[in-house]
Amino acid sequence: MYIERTIIEQLKHWKRRLDRKPLLLFGARQIGKTCVLKHFGNTEFEHTAYFSFDEDMHLGDIFRTTKDPHRIIQQLTFLTEIPIKPTTTLIIFDEIQECPEALASLKYFCEKAPEYAVAAAGSLLGLTIGHKDFSFPVGKVDHLDMYPLSFSEFLRAKDTRLYSYYKSIVTVEPLPQIFFDRLSEAFNAYRICGGMPEVASAMLMGNTQEVDMKLANILKDYSLDFVKHTTPTLSNKIGHVWQSLPSQLAKENRKFIYQLVRPGARAREYEDALIWLHNAGLTYQVHLCREPRLPLKAYDDLGIFKVYAIDIGLLRRLADMNGNLYLTPSGQFKEFKGALAENYVLQSFVMQFNKELRYWSSGNTAELEFLLQWDNEVLPVEVKSGTAITGKSLAQYTKLYNPRLRIRFSMLNLKRDDSLINIPLFLADRTSDLIRMV
């Protein structure tokens, strides 16, 4: 089942650019990069020539014998029945990290054959930058980041009319209950499956019993990547950090603690593992910002941070939690439901704002999940997983800094109360639009 992705619009923009360079599409394993590029080629070009360095280990021989892009294309034509023509053919190099010479060749495509449309993708491209075996074509490629399915993409595939209503919201006022209930129901389905396309497709097609099986398979593939692409020592450390995420986030204070990775663990022992997971696109780090002043980056405390997962479905499965936790109220899962809600909002923010996020804490008395730098102001963001909104942190922040606008996510209806906007969690993807409305 193909699910329409919003990144297609960015790819169309890339195609139209007069100064277009070869494209590198970054993103973690199994988020749909190959599917998107093939769909883009089939709908926006006359022809699509697809080459995978993972499927054909001898493909790299072409790039090891010449750097001339015209000779490369000439030889590639003998491997496909698809005509490779300037402007009308999209050339896809998949899993390009498997061939350093192919990655380096993008420089020469940019300089000597810019008339060809070349798009490359790889599951672990973020790990190749700076690697001694890779000559990265700095300044000679366009970059584009891709993420798991957002809720809005899931909703469009699930119910086009409800999606149209979702996109039609242009005022900050309560939604009619019928729409609120239907959006809540769709959001619960998304929270169970998450945004990995294969898993979301199973949910959309009604194969709910396959959701956890597919999530488990993806997690197994990730574990195999740890072994395949690192040393035995480092792979063990990466695995320990990855498996510790549920316990890290189940605490009321979700600050990353090395002792939860392994007893006696120290920062210097696991720093490489954290970097590997981040560069592979599997985790996000949110650092503590002690002073909510501009620029936020200047007030980061790099030694204190939280670590979230790439996807809420994977995080739920990593914690061995049944999807029914969203369908049956229970106080037992309160903290972890909160962590999943935070993880979801973070994913939405990363896709919308394409910037690092911070959180704020005032000692042991108050803590806000995120700080959002919006133009020339700092907006505090509080996240609640349900309808209970009690808490003193946002009030204390307001007393200290008196922000023009405050944002709270919860499962209460959309509403503005003076400087506070309450946004239902399912509207997180519309955050930037809602801020502009006030």
Side-chain angles (χ1 to χ4, degrees):
M1 176 182 182
Y2 176 75
I3 301 176
E4 188 175 350
R5 307 297 297 269
T6 57
I7 198 172
I8 290 291
E9 293 304 315
Q10 294 173 271
L11 290 170
K12 290 178 182 178
H13 176 73
W14 168 77
K15 177 191 175 185
R16 293 191 298 264
R17 283 177 48 186
L18 297 178
D19 61 343
R20 182 186 67 203
K21 302 173 184 177
L23 177 71
L24 276 180
L25 184 61
F26 289 80
R29 173 194 279 272
Q30 299 193 38
I31 60 168
K33 299 184 298 300
T34 301
C35 186
V36 159
L37 286 179
K38 286 183 175 181
H39 180 79
F40 173 58
N42 292 336
T43 55
E44 298 297 324
F45 291 82
E46 293 181 18
H47 309 284
T48 302
Y50 174 81
F51 304 94
S52 172
F53 293 95
D54 188 46
E55 293 178 5
D56 187 350
M57 65 179 67
H58 299 297
L59 182 61
D61 294 342
I62 294 174
F63 297 84
R64 285 186 277 271
T65 56
T66 181
K67 295 181 179 179
D68 182 353
H70 295 97
R71 284 191 62 194
I72 290 172
I73 291 172
Q74 183 183 46
Q75 294 184 47
L76 289 175
T77 59
F78 294 111
L79 300 177
T80 179
E81 297 179 354
I82 303 298
I84 303 178
K85 299 179 179 181
T87 69
T88 60
T89 300
L90 176 65
I91 304 169
I92 300 174
F93 294 143
D94 205 1
E95 300 298 347
I96 195 171
Q97 79 281 349
E98 298 293 336
C99 181
E101 295 82 6
L103 185 61
S105 77
L106 299 183
K107 170 184 176 182
Y108 304 101
F109 275 96
C110 175
E111 294 176 343
K112 299 180 179 181
E115 66 274 18
Y116 287 93
V118 180
S123 300
L124 299 172
L125 268 176
L127 297 169
T128 66
I129 300 175
H131 195 282
K132 64 179 181 180
D133 295 328
F134 285 80
S135 176
F136 194 82
V138 177
K140 303 298 181 180
V141 293
D142 292 322
H143 295 232
L144 191 57
D145 293 317
M146 186 172 171
Y147 305 98
L149 281 169
S150 65
F151 169 65
S152 57
E153 290 172 316
F154 178 85
L155 180 64
R156 178 166 50 190
K158 181 176 175 61
D159 187 331
T160 55
R161 287 182 296 179
L162 189 57
Y163 173 76
S164 296
Y165 170 77
Y166 181 90
K167 296 295 290 185
S168 74
I169 297 169
V170 293
T171 56
V172 181
E173 59 185 26
L175 311 182
Q177 195 63 42
I178 186 172
F179 291 115
F180 185 93
D181 291 343
R182 291 182 180 181
L183 286 168
S184 297
E185 182 181 354
F187 182 56
N188 279 337
Y190 175 79
R191 289 202 283 189
I192 292 170
C193 66
M196 305 306 282
E198 183 182 359
V199 185
S201 293
M203 176 65 78
L204 290 167
M205 295 173 70
N207 299 327
T208 53
Q209 63 269 36
E210 293 187 12
V211 167
D212 277 10
M213 179 190 71
K214 290 181 180 296
L215 286 169
N217 288 340
I218 294 173
L219 290 173
K220 181 63 176 178
D221 287 342
Y222 286 172
S223 296
L224 293 175
D225 279 342
F226 303 161
V227 176
K228 178 181 177 181
H229 297 285
T230 65
T231 64
T233 299
L234 181 56
S235 67
N236 283 334
K237 291 180 179 179
I238 294 170
H240 290 316
V241 172
W242 180 245
Q243 292 293 332
S244 80
L245 291 188
S247 57
Q248 301 283 354
L249 294 172
K251 311 186 309 296
E252 183 176 1
N253 177 352
R254 309 196 207 286
K255 181 180 72 172
F256 188 87
I257 298 176
Y258 289 94
Q259 294 290 325
L260 291 179
V261 177
R262 292 201 76 180
R266 298 181 181 181
R268 65 174 182 269
E269 296 176 302
Y270 286 88
E271 183 178 13
D272 288 347
L274 281 165
I275 292 173
W276 194 97
L277 287 167
H278 176 76
N279 289 344
L282 299 185
T283 59
Y284 300 112
Q285 286 191 21
V286 178
H287 286 93
L288 171 66
C289 180
R290 295 196 177 277
E291 290 291 333
R293 307 182 192 281
L294 297 177
L296 285 177
K297 182 175 287 190
Y299 299 93
D300 283 349
D301 187 330
L302 299 180
I304 302 177
F305 55 90
K306 302 176 184 180
V307 178
Y308 294 91
I310 180 181
D311 174 67
I312 57 170
L314 289 174
L315 178 60
R316 178 186 64 78
R317 189 67 187 88
L318 191 64
D320 201 23
M321 299 292 294
N322 192 293
N324 289 335
L325 75 98
Y326 292 115
L327 308 177
T328 55
S330 172
Q332 288 182 298
F333 309 127
K334 179 180 177 181
E335 290 299 337
F336 200 69
K337 276 187 178 179
L340 287 164
E342 291 174 28
N343 209 114
Y344 160 74
V345 170
L346 173 61
Q347 289 176 238
S348 180
F349 277 14
V350 168
M351 284 186 274
Q352 284 180 81
F353 305 110
N354 194 27
K355 62 176 66 176
E356 295 178 353
L357 292 168
R358 282 94 185 163
Y359 78 98
W360 172 82
S361 176
S362 177
N364 295 319
T365 60
E367 182 172 302
L368 286 179
E369 283 72 29
F370 303 110
L371 293 178
L372 179 61
Q373 186 169 322
W374 177 268
D375 292 335
N376 291 321
E377 59 182 328
V378 178
L379 305 182
V381 178
E382 182 178 58
V383 180
K384 300 294 184 182
S385 62
T387 57
I389 56 173
T390 56
K392 301 178 180 178
S393 296
L394 192 55
Q396 183 168 331
Y397 182 97
T398 303
K399 183 177 179 180
L400 289 171
Y401 302 106
N402 192 30
R404 177 188 70 86
L405 192 64
R406 301 171 294 155
I407 300 172
R408 180 179 64 216
F409 290 97
S410 72
M411 286 308 293
L412 295 175
N413 211 326
L414 179 64
K415 182 182 179 181
R416 181 178 181 182
D417 185 4
D418 294 327
S419 66
L420 175 65
I421 304 178
N422 184 88
I423 302 176
L425 283 165
F426 55 71
L427 278 176
D429 291 347
R430 297 289 314 276
T431 300
S432 59
D433 298 326
L434 293 170
I435 292 174
R436 293 188 183 97
M437 294 176 195
V438 299

